Amino acid sequence: MTGLAERLSAIDASIADAVRRAGRETADITRIVVTKFHPVTLVQELYGLGVREVGENRQQELSAKVEALRQAQGPGFEDLRWHFIGQAQTNKAVAIRRSAQAVHSVDRARIADALDRAAFDDAILDVLLQINLTDDSDRGGVAPADLERLAEHVLTLPTLRLRGVMAVAPLDEDPAAAFARVHDYAERLRGVAPDATWISAGMTGDFAEAIAAGATHLRIGSAITGPRPAQG
Ligand SMILES: *Cc1c(COP(=O)(O)O)cnc(C)c1O
């Protein structure tokens, strides 16, 4: 096995352990491999290992990889699902929508509107509301107090499907406590959008805590891909 294959199966084994300990089912968990800063060849290798859910946090890098795969020889990558997990700017909405099947970082009405206006065929875009777990309003994410209002707005947009919540645990908070809060916010969201059941939480350092707190979508990068190459 290559290093990549070994790391992927080791992480999947850890996920399975955490799922068992939480009394949950692996079928309820989607493992997204975050490929940021790595070349598109890594995405191709992951595809060969069966990975179909991948994530990027920068629009330009996302667009470049999707375009490279469209032009690549060999097997089609049509069933790859791209998750955009970075801060989204309204002037990038068209480009994001052309490349991603899901956007985890909707945190204000204006970006939701821009993504809706950027619809270009009959496809519906899956969106999650990113919640800011810190007191720093410069961090991405909607303030918890504004969650329902934003959800109600997104529900009026015909080309978006509201799927759930996303959060990143703050560096200065125990991830279990942070994800317990996310679990409560997810419940609040279901109060206005009963079908919005996804909880995108958990990265390399805290996915076990996220699984224990009900995460459905894990965003795991470096533990699978290896250390990120220096940013060019
Ligand atoms: C980079 C990134 C991840 C993955 O981080 P790792 O610690 O490498 O697993 C997850 N979520 C977001 C929003 C990211 O930007």
Side-chain angles (χ1 to χ4, degrees):
M1 273 206 283
T2 65
L4 184 64
E6 280 169 14
R7 290 191 299 271
L8 185 65
S9 59
I11 289 299
D12 284 348
S14 304
I15 292 171
D17 272 352
V19 166
R20 238 184 332 269
R21 273 182 274 126
R24 300 184 58 201
E25 305 279 338
T26 33
D28 298 336
I29 306 281
T30 300
R31 175 255 294 127
I32 299 163
V33 182
V34 179
T35 52
K36 65 188 184 196
F37 308 141
H38 287 278
V40 71
T41 48
L42 181 96
V43 181
Q44 291 171 302
E45 278 180 67
L46 287 165
Y47 190 90
L49 296 170
V51 170
R52 293 295 179 269
E53 311 276 340
V54 284
E56 286 287 333
N57 72 336
R58 295 189 302 185
Q59 174 271 318
Q60 278 177 308
E61 193 174 343
L62 167 71
S63 298
K65 285 177 187 170
V66 169
E67 189 50 35
L69 291 178
R70 275 186 193 134
Q71 292 179 4
Q73 310 269 335
F77 296 95
E78 292 84 10
D79 57 342
L80 207 48
R81 282 179 52 82
W82 287 94
H83 297 256
F84 185 73
I85 61 175
Q87 288 205 22
Q89 292 166 279
T90 50
N91 63 346
K92 302 290 175 58
V94 169
I96 292 170
R97 186 135 193 184
R98 289 212 159 260
S99 299
Q101 285 71 49
V103 174
H104 291 225
S105 44
V106 169
D107 59 1
R108 57 201 188 282
R110 281 188 53 216
I111 188 67
D113 291 341
L115 287 168
D116 180 55
R117 275 196 308 272
F120 60 96
D121 61 13
D122 294 339
I124 298 291
L125 181 69
D126 287 330
V127 299
L128 295 90
L129 305 185
Q130 182 178 353
I131 301 172
N132 184 353
L133 300 180
T134 74
D135 296 326
D136 176 358
S137 58
D138 288 342
R139 292 304 191 92
V142 62
D146 298 328
L147 177 63
E148 283 93 343
R149 190 162 19 147
L150 178 59
E152 279 162 1
H153 181 77
V154 170
L155 287 171
T156 68
L157 302 175
T159 76
L160 306 186
R161 181 183 296 139
L162 181 55
R163 287 296 204 171
V165 296
M166 181 274 228
V168 177
L171 290 175
D172 59 356
E173 183 178 1
D174 166 28
F179 294 142
R181 292 199 284 141
V182 174
H183 187 268
D184 289 345
Y185 301 143
E187 234 166 61
R188 274 174 42 192
L189 176 64
R190 287 199 303 279
V192 294
D195 297 334
T197 55
W198 294 9
I199 301 179
S200 167
M203 314 184 359
T204 287
D206 55 21
F207 65 84
E209 289 88 346
I211 290 167
T216 62
H217 288 64
L218 314 174
R219 309 178 311 270
I220 303 182
S222 45
I224 294 171
T225 62
R228 291 188 261 277
Q231 280 185 65

